[in-house]
Amino acid sequence: MSHWLIVAGSARALARSCVDAGWRCDVIDPFADSDTARLACRLERGALSGDHFDERLPALVRSMAGNWRGIVAGSGFEAVPSMLDELDAIAPVFGNDATTVARCKAPMDLAETARQAGIRCAEVDISGPVAGDDWLMKPIGGCGGFGVRPARAGEQIAEGWFAQRRIDGVPASVLFLADGHDARIVGVTRQYPGSVAGPYAWCEAVGDLPLSRAQHERLARDVAALTQQFGLRGLNGADLVFDGEQAVLIEINPRPTATMMLYEQRVVGGLFAAHVAACEGRLDGVELQAGDEVHGLRVVYAPDTLRIGDDAVWPAWSADRPPAGSTTARAMPLCTVLATGRDGADVSRLLRQRERQLLDTPGLFAGQTTTTALS
């Protein structure tokens, strides 16, 4: 039985898929959620510095080192891609290497590479004053939309930041498998950003955004071109905005993304096994299958500082559950709520209803007796 190490800013979905494939895993993530703990042979907290793992991570991995087949890395490396090389020296990393991640997260490199490949990409700049008020200011190597804000006309772009022209349209994300040369779309989700954590914080995703045949074919060509240009491997995501019929590329997430939990049944054998197969160049052997239901997820951010009750009972439709007695600070991810329905609108309504219901669950939060208002 294969044994893996999973290191991610939120590792539960990868751990679930690994275990469902019949494998074992050790896990490092910052939250050590109770449902992740039940899946892992060993679970350790990896400290974050902002939205990425700090410099102590390689030492923690070395202290845990076991007979791993390899390491699968999720979020938490966008701002520190060189750390992937350090992990690869301990055990093979199944996924994109440090150079690939760095290129994908270099704004000018991404925009120019996309342009050369014939892919529409949002305009970016990394120096000088912002040309107008239709731009966003983003941290380079940022993750999950944290820190993103509207730019002010004439504002100087600070070191470590870049400006990206705002695209009006339908936000979306495509999850795809890649083998360095070719790619296959797993699913396209409708995105609903914005929460107490910020106007662009990653928050809600609902599966299978309706696309015309022409839109799907164009998107398939685009992800194949990105795969070839960057040498992408394994599960990857790309954030898009559909500006009419065409998609405009916003960014590449060169790693398994949280939307994988919406598509676990879309691939025979599950997405963790498919990720491994794609990394090993066995993409042709991955079998996709159609899904009849629409799945969605919504990240619930703490509206206030909340302490989990000692006898907390979580709803069955919740995931990423913090352990009893732990505290979640205001505007930090508290948990995830899940829903399934007949169409995207129904699923989105149910997700928001479940978010309100969860925050009102008796006994879930210590000392809370009244409704916690969402902002």
Side-chain angles (χ1 to χ4, degrees), residues 14-75:
L14 281 165
R16 175 80 273 168
S17 186
C18 177
V19 171
D20 285 349
W23 295 333
R24 297 183 299 166
C25 60
D26 296 330
V27 172
I28 298 174
D29 87 355
F31 302 105
D33 292 326
S34 59
D35 40 357
T36 306
R38 287 194 292 271
L39 296 165
C41 297
R42 181 176 178 184
L43 173 63
E44 297 287 348
R45 288 181 182 268
L48 291 180
S49 175
D51 57 6
H52 59 272
F53 286 106
D54 75 9
E55 69 279 0
R56 290 171 288 179
L57 177 67
L60 175 58
V61 174
R62 284 192 290 270
S63 74
M64 294 175 64
N67 188 26
W68 299 320
R69 180 174 170 187
I71 300 172
V72 172
S75 61

Side-chain angles (χ1 to χ4, degrees), residues 251-329:
E251 68 174 315
I252 298 175
N253 296 305
R255 54 172 171 79
T257 68
T259 59
M260 69 175 287
M261 70 181 79
L262 305 182
Y263 293 108
E264 183 64 16
Q265 306 305 318
R266 188 63 57 87
V267 178
V268 176
L271 284 170
F272 191 96
H275 173 78
V276 172
C279 289
E280 293 181 331
R282 296 184 285 112
L283 185 59
D284 288 345
V286 174
E287 183 181 348
L288 302 180
Q289 55 191 2
D292 296 327
E293 296 179 310
V294 176
H295 301 278
L297 66 88
R298 184 173 176 86
V299 178
V300 179
Y301 292 88
D304 297 293
T305 297
L306 298 174
R307 180 182 177 276
I308 308 304
D310 293 335
D311 299 316
V313 178
W314 291 86
W317 35 258
S318 65
D320 304 313
R321 304 164 179 172
S326 63
T327 299
T328 301

Side-chain angles (χ1 to χ4, degrees), residues 170-175 187-191 202 204-209 240 242 259 262-263 295:
V170 177
S173 180
V174 56
L175 180 69
V188 183
T189 54
R190 170 74 156 92
Q191 301 284 308
W202 192 81
E204 182 179 318
V206 177
D208 296 319
L209 178 71
L240 323 159
F242 277 92
T259 59
L262 305 182
Y263 293 108
H295 301 278

